[in-house]
Amino acid sequence: MYCQKCKTPLRLDNSLENLSTSALQHLTGAPLALQQPSSPEVPQTPQQAARRERYAQASHNASSSPIHKRSTPREPSDPAAMSFVLLSESQITPPPTPTDRRKSSGSRQGTPSKKGKGRSSAGGRQGAPVTGGEDNLFSHKALTSDRIFEILSSRSDIDHPICGECSDTILQRMEARLASAAKERDAFAEFLRNLQADQPTDEEAEQTRKELEAVRKQEAKALKELQGLEKEKSELEAEFRNLEAESQLLEKEESAFWHEHNTHQAEMQGYAAQKESAELRLQNDQRLLERLQRTNVYNDTFNISHDGSFGTINGLRLGRLSYPTVEWAEVNAAWGQALLLLSVMAEKLDYKFQGYRLLALGSFSKIEKLETLRSSTTSSSSQTSSSKPARASKSAAETTKTELPLYHIPDMNPLSGTFFHRPFDAGMIAFLECLRQLGQHLEQLTSSARSKDAEREQPRLRLPYEIKKDRIHDCSIKLGSFGGDEGWTKACKYALTCLKFLLAGASNVGAVGGGGGKRGEEEVRK
C-alpha cells in the first residue's frame, strides 16, 4: 500500500494484520453517537428555531450517506521503477515475525494425522508444499485492510492510508482549523451574549416602529419624487435624441461647408500662385526689358574706344604716327567701319544727307558727292481739247556724281607729294560734312522734344567738337597739313568721338523720344 498524500510505500502495523472478529466489527460498525442521536436542544429565540427548521429540512432532503471519491493508485509491477525504494529483507513479502514462526510450528506438531490423511488423500504426493491456506489468509488480511481504510475515508475528508509525516501535517492543519473554529465560536458566543443583553424594551420597540413608519412615508415620498424625476429624465432623453439628430444634421452641413471652403481655398491658393507666378514673370520681363532698353546693339556692333593717342573702332586704329606705325590697310578698314556706322545712324534717324551719298564698301568705302546743274527749255504743243494753243516751260535738272574715296593706296614713288592725297582728303572732308549734318539734325530733334515736354529739363544734344569744313576742334583732317601726322591722328580721334556721341544720342532718341541727352554725354565721356 501507498500513502494517499505523498505516495510513499507503507508497511502496515502488526495489530492490523491479526484483528479479531469483535475488533473488526467494532471498527467497521457505526459509532454510538451516530446510532443513538441525542435529543435536540430546545431553541431559545425565533432565529434559532428558524435555523433549526432549515437544518432539519436540509438533512431530510440529503442522501443517507456522503459520497467520497477515493483514488487508489495502481501499484507498480516493478518496485525498482519507482522514484524511491524502501529497503527491506524482501521486496515481495515482509519477513516473518517470531510469533508467526511459533504458530506455524505448533500447528504442524499438533495435527500430524490430518497432514497424513491429506497426504494419503492426495494420491501419494508426499512432501508437496501446502499454499492454499496461506494465500487465503493473505487475501483476507488485504481485504480487511482495504475495508477498514474505505470506512475511515468515507467518515472523514482524508483518504486513508497515510504515512506518519502526512498524519503530522494533517494534524497540525486540523489543530489550526480547530483554533480558528474556537475563536469563531467565542466570537459568536460574545455576539449572542451582547445581543441578548441588548434586548429592546416596549417603549424602544414602539419608538422604532414609529421611526420605521416615518421612514416608509419618506420612502413613498421619495419614490413619487423618483418617478417624477424618471419622467423628466425620459423627456430630457427624448429632447437629447432630438438635439443629437439636429447636431448630426448640423455636422453634415458643417462638413459640406468646410469641404466647399477647402475647395474654394484651394482654388484661391491656385489663383494666388498663378498671380504670384505672373507677377514674378512680369518682374522678370520688366528687368529684361530694362536691360534690353539699356542695351545698345550699336555699341556692341561698333565699339569705339581709344588706344593711346589713336582712336579705335572695333579694335582698328585710325591715324598714323612715326611710332608705333599703323598700316594703311588698318586705317582704310577703320574708315570703312566709321562710314558704315554713320550710314546706319542716318537710316535710324530717317535722315538723308544733302549733296552726299554714303557707300560703305569696307576697306574701299566711298562717298558720292551729288552736284545739280539746272537748264531751262521751252517747248510748244498743241492740244485739241479746248481748241486753244498752249505753251509749257519745263525746268530739267541734271545731277553729276563725283566719287570721293575714303581710303588711301600708298604710292611707292617717294617723289609723289600731296597731290596724290587730294582725293582721300576730299573724302575725309565729305565725311566730316556728313557728320556735321547728322549732328545738326540730332540737335533739332532734341530741341523739338524739349519744347513739347517743357517740364523735363533736358540738355540739347550738340556735338562735343565743332566742325568747320576740313577742321574739327582746330585740327585739320587733311593729310600733309601743317600739323603733320599727329594733327591728322587727333582729328581722326575727334571724329570718332563725335561719331560715338551721335551713336549714343541716336540710340536714346529712338528709345525714349529724345530723353537721353545726359546718358549720351556719359557714354561719350566713357
Side-chain angles (χ1 to χ4, degrees), residues 500-522:
K500 185 174 183 180
F501 179 82
L502 289 178
L503 174 61
S507 301
N508 293 328
V509 168
V512 295
K518 293 182 179 179
R519 182 179 171 187
E521 292 180 358
E522 291 177 358

Side-chain angles (χ1 to χ4, degrees), residues 152-217:
L152 291 176
S153 299
S154 64
R155 292 181 180 179
S156 65
D157 296 337
I158 303 171
D159 289 339
H160 291 274
I162 55 176
C163 61
E165 295 179 357
C166 294
S167 300
D168 296 338
T169 304
I170 293 174
L171 182 60
Q172 293 176 2
R173 192 180 304 167
M174 296 299 290
E175 288 177 355
R177 290 176 60 185
L178 177 61
S180 177
K183 290 182 181 179
E184 187 176 356
R185 182 200 62 185
D186 296 341
F188 278 115
E190 184 69 22
F191 177 75
L192 180 60
R193 285 194 298 271
N194 294 334
L195 185 61
Q196 291 176 356
D198 294 339
Q199 289 292 334
T201 61
D202 296 337
E203 294 178 356
E204 292 177 353
E206 186 66 22
Q207 183 69 23
T208 305
R209 193 178 299 110
K210 290 180 181 180
E211 291 179 357
L212 180 59
E213 291 178 357
V215 169
R216 287 177 178 174
K217 290 180 181 179

Side-chain angles (χ1 to χ4, degrees), residues 96-117:
T97 59
T99 305
D100 296 339
R101 292 175 182 174
R102 286 194 299 270
K103 287 181 180 180
S104 60
S105 60
S107 61
R108 290 175 183 175
Q109 292 176 2
T111 57
S113 60
K114 292 181 181 179
K115 291 182 180 180
K117 293 180 180 179

Side-chain angles (χ1 to χ4, degrees), residues 482-509:
F482 294 102
D485 292 340
E486 292 182 0
W488 181 68
T489 302
K490 288 182 179 180
C492 292
K493 186 176 182 180
Y494 295 153
L496 289 178
T497 304
C498 293
L499 197 61
K500 185 174 183 180
F501 179 82
L502 289 178
L503 174 61
S507 301
N508 293 328
V509 168

Side-chain angles (χ1 to χ4, degrees), residues 392-411:
S393 174
K394 184 178 181 181
S395 176
E398 296 180 359
T399 303
T400 60
K401 300 179 181 179
T402 305
E403 292 184 355
L404 303 177
L406 199 59
Y407 58 90
H408 177 68
I409 299 177
D411 192 2

